[in-house]
Amino acid sequence: MIAKLTGRLDSSGAGHAVIDVGGVGYLVEASARTLDALGPVGGDVTIHTEMLVGEDFLRLLGFAKAEERDWFRLLTSVQGVGAKVALAILSALEIGDLQRALASSDSAMIARANGVGPKLAQRIAHELKDKAGALGGIASSNPALSGTSAPLADAVAALTGLGFKPAEASAAVAAASEELGAGASLDALVRLALKKAAK
């Protein structure tokens, strides 16, 4: 959605923004990070949206990046994590920190978010550790893949898509990347990483 920001509420935490689209104002719920990223009131904004529809409500959620929206969807797939809790987590943790917390099962880091108790944080860490690899998140926790280029992230995603655990995929792609050197093609990375992961 490309629109104009006309107002902002509760910018200290997860809150709301009013977005004008062709003269119609939409109240959009967003994380604190998205609210900060939207810029000044009156400016043009591009926002990625998600609509929640219930028996007696319609809620529009907005995200500064499509990646944040993807993480919102992943978080809300966990039982007990609703929109409010997911936005609180995305407000408290940068996506990179969330990826590292999941990769290392660091539920204490997840529990920093408002409304997330220790048990819920443990459930999130347990349920999303493997699923997060599909977003390429676990790969960035491997020092060999820090500053991950698109081919490396795509290679990890390819291996996780074939059923390898994120940590295994990440290690295999890192080893393949070291052997092939910078500038290796995606095809070459995947082929060699498959050989290394199968050993």
Side-chain angles (χ1 to χ4, degrees):
M1 178 187 296
I2 300 173
K4 191 174 289 293
L5 179 65
T6 60
R8 193 190 317 258
L9 305 165
D10 309 322
S11 60
S12 60
H16 300 81
V18 179
I19 309 289
D20 180 308
V21 183
V24 178
Y26 292 90
L27 183 65
V28 178
E29 292 179 59
S31 70
R33 294 184 191 282
T34 287
L35 291 174
D36 289 343
L38 290 180
V41 172
D44 289 340
V45 295
T46 299
I47 192 161
H48 303 270
T49 59
E50 178 87 355
M51 179 166 286
L52 302 182
V53 179
E55 211 171 283
D56 56 354
F57 69 85
L58 282 173
R59 293 166 68 187
L60 189 61
L61 293 99
F63 306 92
K65 299 177 183 173
E67 182 184 23
E68 186 185 14
R69 181 180 59 191
D70 293 341
W71 276 94
F72 172 85
R73 290 172 177 164
L74 192 61
L75 286 166
T76 55
S77 72
V78 176
Q79 182 182 0
V81 178
K84 185 176 181 180
V85 170
L87 288 177
I89 293 169
L90 292 170
S91 293
L93 298 172
E94 289 191 22
I95 288 172
D97 293 332
L98 180 55
Q99 292 168 338
R100 282 186 287 281
L102 292 171
S104 60
S105 297
D106 185 354
S107 59
M109 183 180 282
I110 298 167
R112 291 181 191 173
N114 288 337
V116 180
K119 285 186 179 178
L120 181 56
Q122 286 176 349
R123 186 184 308 142
I124 292 167
H126 174 72
E127 287 190 26
L128 298 186
K129 181 169 184 169
D130 291 337
K131 289 183 183 178
L135 296 180
I138 304 303
S140 65
S141 69
N142 187 318
L145 298 179
S146 58
T148 305
S149 68
L152 294 179
D154 290 345
V156 172
L159 264 65
T160 56
L162 291 170
F164 289 95
K165 292 191 174 180
E168 293 171 339
S170 178
V173 170
S177 178
E178 280 181 37
E179 190 172 314
L180 295 171
S185 70
L186 175 60
D187 184 53
L189 278 170
V190 170
R191 285 175 189 272
L192 185 55
L194 279 170
K195 288 179 186 173
K196 292 187 175 294
K199 285 182 182 178

